[in-house]
Amino acid sequence: KTVKPSSDATQPTVDPHLYYDLLNKTGLITLPVNRNWVQQLADPRKIPGMILAALLISLGAPFWYNILKDLIGLRSTVAKKDDSQRAQRQATQAGSNGAESETTAAVAAPAWLHGERGDLAAVG
């Protein structure tokens, strides 16, 4: 790496041209770092990507804000669904262990014992 001294003597900065060159050589991103950048943009393979980028940017910030909000809402909806499925499983486990639950009902269990628990004696 080539390190250039910065105006602040304690914090050196890394030359960004090394990264630009790496991206250009691998063909991932072509950045206009030299004088023939207009010729680089004339490559017809780049036109669909430029059109797609322009269309996505033209949708604007409100559109992307709503999309992200919906994705976050989807996550909370999935979490609520998981909670309801967990409650159903706990209810069916309590119903299948009816005889055991009647004998243990007399002994009050602490709150941290309620809920889903795995078989601690399981090996495998």
Side-chain angles (χ1 to χ4, degrees):
K1 284 192 223 181
T2 303
V3 177
K4 291 182 178 179
S6 66
S7 60
D8 183 15
T10 61
Q11 194 73 322
T13 60
V14 177
D15 184 15
H17 291 290
L18 295 174
Y19 297 110
Y20 297 158
D21 292 339
L22 175 68
L23 292 172
N24 278 329
K25 287 176 186 174
T26 58
L28 294 174
I29 298 175
T30 303
L31 300 170
V33 293
N34 52 17
R35 300 200 189 276
N36 65 351
W37 63 272
V38 175
Q39 294 170 351
Q40 291 176 349
L41 291 177
D43 187 2
R45 295 177 295 172
K46 296 179 182 178
I47 293 173
M50 288 188 282
I51 292 172
L52 179 64
L55 288 174
L56 292 175
I57 290 171
S58 70
L59 293 174
F63 172 79
W64 292 111
Y65 176 79
N66 289 331
I67 291 293
L68 290 172
K69 185 174 66 170
D70 291 344
L71 285 173
I72 292 171
L74 177 65
R75 182 175 176 219
S76 66
T77 302
V78 170
K80 289 177 187 175
K81 185 177 179 182
D82 288 344
D83 291 341
S84 66
Q85 289 175 350
R86 184 179 305 115
Q88 287 176 349
R89 286 193 306 265
Q90 289 174 353
T92 56
Q93 287 175 354
S96 66
N97 297 335
E100 293 177 16
S101 63
E102 290 176 7
T103 58
T104 59
V107 178
W112 57 270
L113 275 178
H114 297 292
E116 288 189 29
R117 293 182 302 229
D119 184 10
L120 297 178
V123 178

